[in-house]
Amino acid sequence: MTDATSLATALPWDGLILGAALATLDDDTGYAAIADAALGWRDGVLTFVGPRDALPDAPERLACEVIEAAGWITPGLVDCHTHLVFAGDRAREFEMRLEGASYEAIARAGGGILSTVRATREASEDELLRQSLPRARALLADGATTLEIKSGYGLDFDNERKMLRVARRVGEALGVTVRTTYLAAHALPPEYKDRADDYITAACEWLPRLHAEGLVDAVDAFCEGIGFSPAQTRRMFDTARALGLPVKLHADQLSDLGGAALAAEFGGLSADHVEYTSEASAQAMAAHGTVAVLLPGAFHVLRETRLPPLDAFRAHGVPMAVATDCNPGTSPLLSMRQAMQLACTHFRLTPEEALRGATVHAARALGLSDRGVLRVGLRADFAVWDVAHPAELVYWLGGRLARHVHAGGVAIRMPG
Ligand code: NIG
Ligand code: FE
């Protein structure tokens, strides 16, 4: 053993950051801030969260790596709803929408999601990974340390499997947690035209096989006029439940089919989009602890006008998460800060609600109780920001504010 190694193992912690303020969020209201703070960790877990004055020893006797910082430290951001594994892009479709075509009309004409399905089916697994990694890297560089990634552009067994394998490989390549969600019930593939029930039967048969390979953490569906009916969604959810898998749902985005209430009935982790969700559905969500995942990127890009029932969510105590919905059609959004910004401008979230939505409530929307706040014993996932106040995180549009981002105590390499 070298001297350096024996010294390192003799020190209690792996790392320590000093001098920044902490937005721990470890309280029900406010940022639960600590000024001139210290944050220590070992083996990927936080070992100290408090004022620098309260450190038990001199910093150099506590950790091998001591970083002096300024600004604010928040929990690592959790992007709890993405479709970031896909091939190609839909910039031309964006142009068509700007010229007046609607999202639904393009989808019904075989464009939209199905055009990404064609590109994704054509790409090899390695090629899909190559195209997806830069999107994940952009999210991490802007403070994300946990990503959810859905399938749903494969729509057959092999291609759904390929997408889920790529999602897992993104997490391995970048050293962050990736939670995978099976979204075969995203659109009807052309080979099942006019046979949606048969397609759901097939998608329900693929699920246990993919789950057996360790590729599925949760199950989702697109419950919508241009997606699948509540009855078809229910069949998918019954299959998930039989396997012990949690569910979440693209619910009430373009119309109210009672999707959020259906997700709640199944004890769903979340109902996502929720623009058309009724007050009764919000109450059902509150009763079952189902998180409302707000996706202001899709709202913005589709130039929607119907706001989610924010007052009902607040009144009934439904936790509100914020996510990018990163996807090639409705939300080509590569920044959690920008998603938070859009949630404030379009949905009137307060900066504090947006930050909680991107951390503690987003972690809950993934069923992860080991992250989302800065607390001793939780994962050492955090971001150090060049800001004078947390509201700055949702104030700037663009730019680079994250100075250091750590996932499980390990620094994520920032772009040069
Ligand atoms: O969350 N609504 C369905 N799914 C995506 C859009 C996917 C796409 O258009 O490619 C969404 O908005
Ligand atoms: Fe989505």
Side-chain angles (χ1 to χ4, degrees), residues 81 83 250 273 325:
H81 182 138
H83 309 247
H250 283 72
H273 288 286
D325 195 14

Side-chain angles (χ1 to χ4, degrees), residues 81 83 90 93 103 112-113 116 153 183 186 222 250 253 273 295 298 302 325 327-331:
H81 182 138
H83 309 247
R90 305 238 291 278
E93 178 185 315
Y103 181 60
I113 293 174
T116 301
Y153 294 121
L183 179 59
H186 192 200
F222 185 24
H250 283 72
Q253 179 187 10
H273 288 286
L295 303 170
L302 293 177
D325 195 14
N327 77 68
T330 62
S331 191

Side-chain angles (χ1 to χ4, degrees), residues 35-334:
D36 193 15
L39 192 75
W41 64 92
R42 182 185 181 107
D43 296 333
V45 172
L46 294 172
T47 49
F48 186 90
V49 179
R52 184 206 290 252
D53 290 355
L55 279 170
D57 204 341
E60 62 282 5
R61 283 202 291 275
L62 286 169
C64 6
E65 187 190 10
V66 179
I67 304 171
E68 277 289 342
W72 280 77
I73 303 180
T74 67
L77 305 182
V78 176
D79 196 348
C80 67
H81 182 138
T82 88
H83 309 247
L84 76 78
V85 169
F86 61 83
D89 70 79
R90 305 238 291 278
R92 175 64 195 125
E93 178 185 315
F94 181 57
E95 275 186 333
M96 284 162 62
R97 287 207 307 271
L98 291 174
E99 287 158 10
S102 75
Y103 181 60
E104 283 102 324
I106 292 169
R108 290 192 198 282
I113 293 174
L114 288 182
S115 68
T116 301
V117 171
R118 287 189 285 276
T120 302
R121 284 180 171 181
E122 271 166 30
S124 69
E125 187 175 311
D126 286 346
E127 175 58 17
L128 199 51
L129 179 67
R130 192 190 67 73
Q131 291 193 34
S132 303
L133 274 174
R135 294 188 278 270
R137 283 202 182 94
L139 289 166
L140 304 194
D142 200 42
T145 51
T146 302
L147 303 176
E148 184 258 15
I149 303 179
K150 301 175 194 297
S151 69
Y153 294 121
L155 310 186
D156 62 30
F157 178 80
D158 288 341
N159 285 298
E160 288 291 296
R161 179 171 180 270
K162 178 174 74 182
M163 286 189 71
L164 294 166
R165 284 173 54 90
V166 169
R168 286 274 185 255
R169 286 175 68 185
V170 167
E172 285 154 19
L174 302 182
V176 295
T177 305
V178 166
R179 302 293 283 180
T180 55
T181 301
Y182 179 64
L183 179 59
H186 192 200
L188 193 61
E191 59 274 21
Y192 279 89
K193 191 169 174 351
D194 300 325
R195 293 192 297 130
D197 284 324
D198 292 346
Y199 177 65
I200 292 293
T201 301
C204 288
E205 282 168 9
W206 303 332
L207 177 56
R209 295 159 64 194
L210 295 167
H211 181 43
E213 287 190 47
L215 290 171
V216 182
D217 297 321
V219 174
D220 192 352
F222 185 24
C223 184
E224 191 58 69
I226 56 168
F228 294 91
S229 68
Q232 289 158 347
T233 302
R234 190 178 280 279
R235 288 176 60 207
M236 205 69 236
F237 281 6
D238 281 332
T239 308
R241 180 180 267 172
L243 294 166
L245 283 167
V247 300
K248 42 182 54 244
L249 190 64
H250 283 72
D252 312 333
Q253 179 187 10
L254 307 167
S255 60
D256 181 11
L257 295 185
L262 179 61
E265 180 195 325
F266 277 79
L269 290 172
S270 66
D272 304 36
H273 288 286
V274 294
E275 277 85 345
Y276 284 80
T277 294
S278 65
E279 169 132 23
S281 293
Q283 270 172 305
M285 292 169 72
H288 291 92
T290 299
V291 176
V293 177
L294 306 178
L295 303 170
F299 179 93
H300 176 77
V301 170
L302 293 177
R303 295 190 296 169
E304 295 288 342
T305 51
R306 166 82 174 226
L307 293 175
L310 300 152
D311 290 339
F313 290 149
R314 290 191 184 103
H316 298 294
V318 177
M320 293 185 285
V322 176
T324 62
D325 195 14
C326 173
N327 77 68
T330 62
S331 191
L333 176 52
L334 299 172

